[in-house]
Amino acid sequence: MLKTPYLLFLGDVPDPLSAKVAQGIRDWRPEYALGQYRLPGCQADMNLPDLDIDTAVAQGARTLVIGAANRGGIISRSWISVLKEALTAGMDIASGLHNLLRDEPELVAAAEQYGGKLIDVRIPPVSYPIGDGQPRRGKRCLVVGTDCSIGKMYTSLALDIALQKRGAKSSFRATGQTGILITGEGVPLDAVIADFMAGSIEWLTPDNDDDHWDIIEGQGSLFHPSYSGVTLALIHGGQPDALILCHEPTRTHMRGLPNYQLPSLEQLRDTALPLAQVVNPECKVVGVSVNTSGQSIDEAERYLRDLEARLGLPCVDPYRQSADRLAEAVLSC
Amino acid sequence: MLKTPYLLFLGDVPDPLSAKVAQGIRDWRPEYALGQYRLPGCQADMNLPDLDIDTAVAQGARTLVIGAANRGGIISRSWISVLKEALTAGMDIASGLHNLLRDEPELVAAAEQYGGKLIDVRIPPVSYPIGDGQPRRGKRCLVVGTDCSIGKMYTSLALDIALQKRGAKSSFRATGQTGILITGEGVPLDAVIADFMAGSIEWLTPDNDDDHWDIIEGQGSLFHPSYSGVTLALIHGGQPDALILCHEPTRTHMRGLPNYQLPSLEQLRDTALPLAQVVNPECKVVGVSVNTSGQSIDEAERYLRDLEARLGLPCVDPYRQSADRLAEAVLSC
């Protein structure tokens, strides 16, 4: 478990999407987000106070959380000196990057010298089983997207809260580093060894009360060639009863892949649902979550209304509006 | 690289399919397969001489290859004493199991004492990139199956040989431990970290001559819930121009999953092809490879004839017949 509150380290990320770890913590655990630390050239801003290490420590910060994700998850050289400074000042460091803190000799030495901890939340904490595809008690909902970094975690967190507000039993099940940093547990699926991916999701969503919903955080996209295998393992390991589709209508190409167009929501539905029905013939698509942050409020409302008529499903932006209608759709499933 | 010839260790496997590593070596590199070593209860037989360690060494065996795969890839306690005996007699040990030789203290100690090597072919030899989905020069063929352990590697090896017999440029690209043990190189895909699966296959099948075919060994199945994510990473990382479907008509359920039925070849075609076309819109299904080992010759011929009429594609058993018609179908693609 991480010591709070946090100083969110944004590094020198080239765009706000690369800081989604920090943004998730700020939005879902604002009480933990004391401030942000940015390097020159940083193109992300959490609208938090920019604090240097000494000021943050003086204000009570206990952990420097690396809130930025580079492509490939590398810890760049320009970051190391700040991280060492944080350790020297007595903070822990938490990270979800592929490039582990514990593999950086300078950080290991500083952590030993000053007694700080290096916490790599990406490292799977247990040996996962191989999936066996057997039915489990309880209900499960999985969010699948037309692309990566499109709002799947937000949708899952908002849906979990909306279900609990209604008195329903539900658990957010984190499958990525941000979700794990927010909730303190989960499966860092993109760091799991291939053979154990589906089994890790079965492990994460075990037998439960018949009326309990696991809200499983989605990863990647069936249509994103870099990460599609991870997505299919989630679908087959999660055995969802309900799928929620997730989309961002202004995106011009798949994240990081200028040559690839996003699929339509119909394509996503018609691809994901039959694959889910391999493991759960009763699975249904129950709603659509749209990230409308790139649209005006008027545009967003028109888009959602048109989409709802087209697909015959509740279509909402859970961040701008609420996840209430998605929660109703899940509970009626 | 492994020292030859081998003594193939079959352990106490419960069925012949679990010894597919040994069977692959015997069939495709028979000159390496000096003999077999079986424990009481072993239900597999390579029709090779049963040799004890001393006899095998006296006949020239240099490496004990673990030719059996347990569920989960564990090195059982009953195996350890034989492996230690082989090291004591001066042999190397090679293994493709998840449970690494190098993680067994008794084996590490014996290897150090007697100078033998512990070779875990499952360990990825390089850091693979994240896939970028960019088109590459040259042609690629991928074998996809209705189930695991259904003949995909055999099909790929036979197709590679049939292409080369015709003077075509082709390379078998191993993606599993047996293929790697046979050819000495490849990607141990089921041991790759999830985020790098597709990238590892791009790395394995780089730019090549325009008329060169990579024949990519398939893994798992889109319909096998334990391993489907690995299969989709192969499809998206491999960017196949040609797909070959692989089937075993007498199998009553998915391997290891009594509750799961195999899909039809039509279902496999209609699921795999659109997913492949995400990365290569020109991809085609060019033929079907049927493992008819569970049928009489008459049954097999009738089955293949009926199937060919049903699907309108060349349908052959490359092991019992030949892969010539598959090679023609690939070259006309």
Side-chain angles (χ1 to χ4, degrees):
Chain A
M1 304 306 307
L2 308 188
K3 293 180 200 157
T4 58
Y6 306 149
L7 176 62
L8 303 181
F9 179 76
L10 306 185
D12 45 7
V13 294
D15 57 68
L17 271 177
S18 298
K20 70 172 182 171
V21 173
Q23 196 174 331
I25 294 170
R26 184 206 60 187
D27 290 340
W28 297 101
R29 292 292 183 276
E31 66 273 27
Y32 296 168
L34 193 70
Q36 63 186 4
Y37 190 110
R38 299 189 292 170
L39 290 169
C42 178
Q43 298 299 316
D45 184 356
M46 296 302 113
N47 295 315
L48 292 168
D50 284 290
L51 304 179
D52 61 26
I53 298 292
D54 288 342
T55 308
V57 170
Q59 294 187 11
R62 310 284 303 276
T63 303
L64 183 82
V65 174
I66 297 187
N70 288 346
R71 194 165 165 81
I74 303 303
I75 299 174
S76 75
R77 297 305 306 165
S78 66
W79 292 11
I80 295 279
S81 63
V82 181
L83 305 190
K84 280 170 65 178
E85 194 187 342
L87 289 165
T88 305
M91 296 173 80
D92 291 344
I93 302 179
S95 162
L97 301 176
H98 274 295
N99 183 174
L100 303 180
L101 299 169
R102 68 188 71 173
D103 287 343
E104 296 294 326
E106 291 177 69
L107 298 183
V108 171
E112 275 173 16
Q113 186 174 354
Y114 298 100
K117 280 191 197 147
L118 302 177
I119 303 158
D120 291 296
V121 301
R122 177 169 295 273
I123 296 294
V126 299
S127 285
Y128 303 115
I130 287 183
D132 65 11
Q134 295 311 302
R136 310 192 286 291
R137 287 182 54 218
K139 299 280 218 169
R140 285 155 199 89
C141 174
L142 174 67
V143 182
V144 293
T146 51
D147 194 3
C148 303
S149 305
I150 207 161
K152 294 186 292 291
M153 188 192 70
Y154 268 71
T155 302
S156 306
L157 284 161
L159 176 57
D160 175 47
I161 288 172
L163 286 166
Q164 295 190 9
K165 268 198 322 193
R166 280 165 168 66
K169 297 178 195 165
S170 112
S171 307
F172 169 77
R173 299 299 190 183
T175 62
Q177 60 266 33
T178 312
I180 295 170
L181 286 168
I182 291 174
T183 64
E185 61 181 5
V187 167
L189 183 58
D190 58 8
V192 171
I193 288 174
D195 245 5
F196 302 95
M197 294 187 297
S200 75
I201 302 305
E202 294 182 357
W203 174 91
L204 181 67
T205 60
D207 275 325
N208 213 319
D209 294 342
D210 287 334
D211 59 348
H212 176 276
W213 281 91
D214 278 326
I215 309 303
I216 308 172
E217 180 191 359
Q219 295 293 334
S221 167
L222 289 172
F223 291 84
H224 195 296
S226 310
Y227 308 114
S228 54
V230 176
T231 309
L232 186 51
L234 264 169
I235 292 174
H236 282 171
Q239 291 190 346
D241 301 277
L243 290 174
I244 289 177
L245 312 181
C246 199
H247 187 50
E248 205 284 61
T250 67
R251 199 169 288 189
T252 54
H253 59 76
M254 298 293 279
R255 176 145 174 80
L257 305 176
N259 299 345
Y260 283 86
Q261 303 304 302
L262 273 67
S264 68
L265 281 159
E266 285 88 344
Q267 278 177 285
L268 175 61
R269 175 194 65 198
D270 296 343
T271 302
L273 185 59
L275 288 168
Q277 289 173 336
V278 168
V279 288
N280 186 348
E282 304 302 318
C283 184
K284 293 183 177 63
V285 175
V286 300
V288 182
S289 170
V290 182
N291 176 349
T292 65
S293 56
Q295 297 175 308
S296 71
I297 290 182
D298 281 354
E299 283 171 337
E301 288 185 351
R302 194 164 49 241
Y303 178 85
L304 290 169
R305 205 166 45 234
D306 292 350
L307 190 64
E308 191 152 324
R310 211 174 89 198
L311 296 176
L313 292 167
C315 299
V316 302
D317 182 335
Y319 188 59
R320 231 171 181 173
Q321 305 172 331
S322 86
D324 289 341
R325 292 182 64 220
L326 295 178
E328 285 159 22
V330 163
L331 289 176
S332 72
C333 178
Chain B
M1 304 308 309
L2 308 187
K3 294 181 199 156
T4 58
Y6 305 149
L7 176 62
L8 302 181
F9 179 76
L10 306 186
D12 44 7
V13 294
D15 57 67
L17 271 177
S18 298
K20 70 174 185 171
V21 172
Q23 195 173 333
I25 295 171
R26 183 206 62 186
D27 290 340
W28 297 101
R29 292 292 185 277
E31 65 274 26
Y32 296 168
L34 192 70
Q36 64 187 4
Y37 189 109
R38 299 188 291 170
L39 289 170
C42 179
Q43 298 298 318
D45 184 355
M46 297 300 115
N47 295 315
L48 292 169
D50 284 291
L51 303 179
D52 62 25
I53 299 291
D54 288 342
T55 308
V57 169
Q59 294 186 11
R62 310 284 302 278
T63 303
L64 183 80
V65 175
I66 297 187
N70 289 348
R71 192 164 166 82
I74 303 302
I75 298 173
S76 74
R77 297 305 308 166
S78 66
W79 293 11
I80 294 279
S81 64
V82 181
L83 305 190
K84 280 170 65 177
E85 193 186 343
L87 289 165
T88 305
M91 295 173 79
D92 291 344
I93 302 178
S95 163
L97 301 178
H98 274 295
N99 183 176
L100 303 180
L101 298 169
R102 69 188 71 173
D103 288 342
E104 295 295 326
E106 291 178 68
L107 299 182
V108 171
E112 274 172 18
Q113 185 174 355
Y114 297 100
K117 281 191 197 146
L118 302 177
I119 304 159
D120 291 297
V121 303
R122 177 170 293 273
I123 297 292
V126 300
S127 285
Y128 303 114
I130 287 183
D132 65 11
Q134 295 311 300
R136 311 190 286 289
R137 288 182 53 218
K139 298 280 219 172
R140 286 157 198 87
C141 175
L142 174 66
V143 182
V144 292
T146 51
D147 194 3
C148 303
S149 306
I150 205 160
K152 294 186 293 290
M153 189 191 70
Y154 268 71
T155 302
S156 306
L157 284 160
L159 175 58
D160 176 48
I161 288 172
L163 287 167
Q164 294 189 12
K165 268 198 324 195
R166 281 164 167 67
K169 297 177 195 166
S170 111
S171 306
F172 169 77
R173 300 299 191 184
T175 62
Q177 59 266 33
T178 312
I180 295 170
L181 286 168
I182 291 174
T183 63
E185 61 182 5
V187 167
L189 182 59
D190 58 8
V192 171
I193 287 173
D195 245 6
F196 302 96
M197 292 187 299
S200 76
I201 302 305
E202 294 182 356
W203 174 91
L204 181 68
T205 60
D207 276 325
N208 214 318
D209 295 343
D210 288 334
D211 58 349
H212 176 276
W213 280 90
D214 278 325
I215 309 303
I216 307 172
E217 180 191 0
Q219 295 293 335
S221 167
L222 289 172
F223 291 84
H224 195 295
S226 310
Y227 308 114
S228 55
V230 175
T231 309
L232 186 52
L234 263 168
I235 292 174
H236 282 170
Q239 290 190 346
D241 301 278
L243 289 175
I244 289 177
L245 311 181
C246 200
H247 188 49
E248 206 282 62
T250 67
R251 200 168 288 189
T252 53
H253 60 75
M254 298 293 280
R255 177 146 173 79
L257 305 177
N259 299 345
Y260 283 86
Q261 303 304 305
L262 273 68
S264 68
L265 282 160
E266 286 87 344
Q267 277 177 285
L268 175 61
R269 175 194 65 197
D270 296 342
T271 302
L273 185 59
L275 288 167
Q277 288 173 337
V278 168
V279 288
N280 186 348
E282 305 302 317
C283 184
K284 292 183 178 64
V285 175
V286 301
V288 181
S289 171
V290 182
N291 177 348
T292 65
S293 57
Q295 297 175 308
S296 71
I297 291 183
D298 281 355
E299 283 171 336
E301 287 185 351
R302 192 164 51 242
Y303 178 85
L304 290 169
R305 203 165 48 234
D306 292 350
L307 190 65
E308 190 151 325
R310 210 174 90 198
L311 296 176
L313 291 168
C315 298
V316 302
D317 182 334
Y319 188 59
R320 228 169 184 176
Q321 306 171 330
S322 86
D324 288 343
R325 293 182 62 220
L326 295 178
E328 285 159 21
V330 163
L331 290 175
S332 71
C333 178

